[in-house]
Amino acid sequence: MGAAHSGRGNREVVVDVAGAVLRIGVVGGSIAGCAMAIAGARAGAEVTVHERSEAALEDRGFGIAIPPPLHRELVAAGYLDAGMPTAPAPSRLWLARQSGRPAARELARQDGAVTACHWGLLWRTLRANTGAAVRYHRGQPVTGVRRHPSGGAVLRTADAEHVYDIVVGADGPRSVTREAVAPGVRPVPAGYAVWRGTLPLTALAGHPQVLELLRGTWITLGYRGGHGIFYLIPGTAPESRLLAYAIYGSPPPATWTAAHETYVRHIAREHFPADWADLVGGGEHTSMAYHPVTDLHPPQVADPPFLLAGDAASITRPHTASGATKALQDALCLERVLRGASSPAEALRGYAAERQPEGARLVALGRRLGRAMVERTPDWEAMGAAEVAAWSRATLDGADSYLHGRVQG
Ligand SMILES: Cc1cc2nc3c(=O)[nH]c(=O)nc-3n(C[C@H](O)[C@H](O)[C@H](O)COP(=O)(O)OP(=O)(O)OC[C@H]3O[C@@H](n4cnc5c(N)ncnc54)[C@H](O)[C@@H]3O)c2cc1C
């Protein structure tokens, strides 16, 4: 595809480059931004990333689960390296506290394989694979975007305006780029919260049975008013592992005076089986974060010359474990439409036709799962494999999710 104009680091410079390489500006250099940059570069474009943060992003040490087939596809396509450490978990285990007793009880096992990743290692790999062809600027917040009369887009930073043929908004939940595509659309609070964190594997030394369960499964632990997800992820040291969690429940009450992050200890001590209460309630966490759950679903994800990716495009409640997954699929889609289209506008229309419905589907699935797993939890303690199977079918009602497979037994 030919480009009509270009930009440089200083005040806007429009040059006649008809027939020259397509230029893409990416706002945000996290998971979505790096993946979109790889996609653009692989399709032959010149890509520049503008990332607000001055610091390296790999410090966020959380768990990210992605579908194994997507992981394989990304390795084969060169987005990820086969050597990036992962912790595959082939099946899912459902647990709850035994009725009237402190011990845990196994409710069901399901298919539902995940490839568990460390957020920082995933980002680092994507960042490395943007390669020398992509210019990546740190500490460069984008303050706004607008259309350029030539059909391209102007991207504004503190001391410069840059002109691109396509601007990709990969700037997360509070995207400034979204204003050009879906003005006024804001995240909608779900009314509950999720605590996300990690514990070192040494925390499991006194809990060998828990460690044994985690070796082959990822775990859903149900309690009245919410649930927790637990799985092993690679650590940043070679061959090391961390226990990652996402625990959903009501936000801390007004009387809670300590940091919101620490309320997860109270939830664990109050509701979890003894081993788990001890781990989360008393263990030393290597990372801990509190997120009020929100979602967001704009009417469109592209309006040439702008397109949105990752959380800038749509936010799904994390029950679907698909925000990063969607960002990576957004990138694969961008590469495909850029290769197949005869103009940037045609490529972006193809992207929107594919990715907008997928975002909408995941937002709806997240709301459905949130209702069933937090807002109106079943009586987990009374359930067995058959009840979990029936409840899963009713909850999903035909909806598709890589996390939910066939129930065994
Ligand atoms: C508890 C929890 C568990 C999750 N688990 C999973 C999971 O298992 N699997 C999964 O697939 N997903 C999961 N997710 C979702 C996933 O973490 C996110 O969807 C994903 O990280 C979003 O990446 P992103 O690049 O779109 O956004 P972000 O990571 O938010 O990145 C946006 C970037 O844009 C930059 N930026 C923002 N504004 C500007 C600006 N004006 N100028 C320049 N740069 C800017 C920011 O500094 C940031 O680097 C989970 C989320 C939560 C909360």
Side-chain angles (χ1 to χ4, degrees):
M1 285 183 294
H5 45 80
S6 181
R8 284 208 300 257
N10 295 314
R11 280 284 157 205
E12 178 184 340
V13 182
V14 180
V15 292
D16 178 10
V17 290
V21 73
L22 181 79
R23 301 190 64 131
I24 298 179
V26 180
V27 187
S30 182
I31 300 281
C34 287
M36 296 302 267
I38 297 173
R42 284 174 57 84
E46 274 183 26
V47 184
T48 306
V49 177
H50 303 266
E51 164 56 44
R52 176 180 61 190
S53 177
E54 191 77 66
L57 299 178
E58 67 251 40
D59 298 335
R60 309 176 196 175
F62 300 117
I64 288 285
I66 63 174
L70 175 66
H71 176 252
R72 287 193 290 274
E73 186 179 358
L74 291 165
V75 170
Y79 287 68
L80 297 180
D81 303 330
M84 181 187 83
T86 60
S91 61
R92 179 180 198 171
L93 175 64
W94 295 76
L95 296 177
R97 195 157 67 180
Q98 285 183 22
S99 193
R101 301 182 56 197
R105 186 172 65 81
E106 185 172 324
L107 310 183
R109 281 177 190 257
Q110 288 178 326
D111 294 341
V114 300
T115 300
C117 309
H118 182 286
W119 192 98
L121 295 175
L122 180 63
W123 178 80
R124 212 181 288 179
T125 306
L126 289 167
R127 172 73 187 93
N129 287 339
T130 56
V134 172
R135 275 174 292 187
Y136 186 103
H137 300 296
R138 273 179 11 187
Q140 213 174 78
V142 172
T143 53
V145 295
R146 66 171 195 276
R147 289 175 193 282
H148 189 272
S150 63
V154 180
L155 180 156
R156 201 169 55 247
T157 54
D159 58 359
E161 292 197 328
H162 314 257
V163 182
Y164 296 106
D165 301 296
I166 294 173
V167 162
V168 173
D171 43 350
R174 288 181 201 80
S175 166
V176 296
T177 322
R178 195 188 297 126
E179 285 306 296
V181 177
V185 178
R186 301 276 181 276
V188 179
Y192 57 87
V194 58
W195 286 261
R196 187 186 205 188
T198 47
L199 292 137
L201 219 55
T202 48
L204 288 160
H207 306 280
Q209 285 167 324
V210 172
L211 184 57
E212 193 52 38
L213 292 177
L214 284 162
R215 291 246 184 248
T217 61
W218 61 282
I219 292 176
T220 303
L221 173 61
Y223 72 91
R224 189 181 296 272
H227 66 282
I229 303 286
F230 298 88
Y231 55 99
L232 296 182
I233 61 168
T236 46
E239 308 295 325
S240 66
R241 288 275 188 274
L242 294 167
L243 171 58
Y245 65 80
I247 296 170
Y248 297 82
S250 299
T255 51
W256 185 261
T257 51
H260 279 24
E261 285 82 353
T262 61
Y263 189 67
V264 71
R265 293 186 186 277
H266 167 81
I267 292 180
R269 289 195 194 104
E270 193 77 359
H271 298 286
F272 286 5
D275 272 341
W276 299 87
D278 191 32
L279 273 171
V280 180
E284 191 181 317
H285 298 233
T286 34
S287 62
M288 206 181 212
Y290 167 77
H291 307 265
V293 173
T294 61
D295 59 23
L296 176 141
H297 164 42
Q300 56 182 4
V301 298
D303 186 6
F306 303 104
L307 88 154
L308 304 174
D311 281 7
S314 61
I315 303 172
T316 176
R317 299 187 190 181
H319 312 291
T320 59
S322 62
T325 296
K326 181 170 64 65
L328 296 164
Q329 290 166 335
D330 289 344
L332 292 171
C333 177
L334 178 67
E335 181 183 340
R336 193 167 2 95
V337 295
L338 285 176
R339 285 183 189 279
S342 57
S343 71
E346 184 188 324
L348 268 54
R349 282 194 291 273
Y351 176 89
E354 199 174 308
R355 300 315 291 160
Q356 199 280 342
E358 178 61 1
R361 184 186 80 79
L362 290 168
V363 168
L365 178 62
R367 289 181 181 176
R368 188 187 279 276
L369 291 170
R371 249 192 316 277
M373 299 187 75
V374 183
E375 292 163 336
R376 289 181 224 151
T377 45
D379 183 3
W380 306 102
E381 292 179 10
M383 289 166 80
E387 288 78 15
V388 172
W391 175 87
S392 294
R393 276 194 297 273
T395 299
L396 293 171
D397 192 23
D400 181 31
S401 163
Y402 77 96
L403 297 177
H404 296 265
R406 192 175 54 81
V407 177
Q408 294 169 4

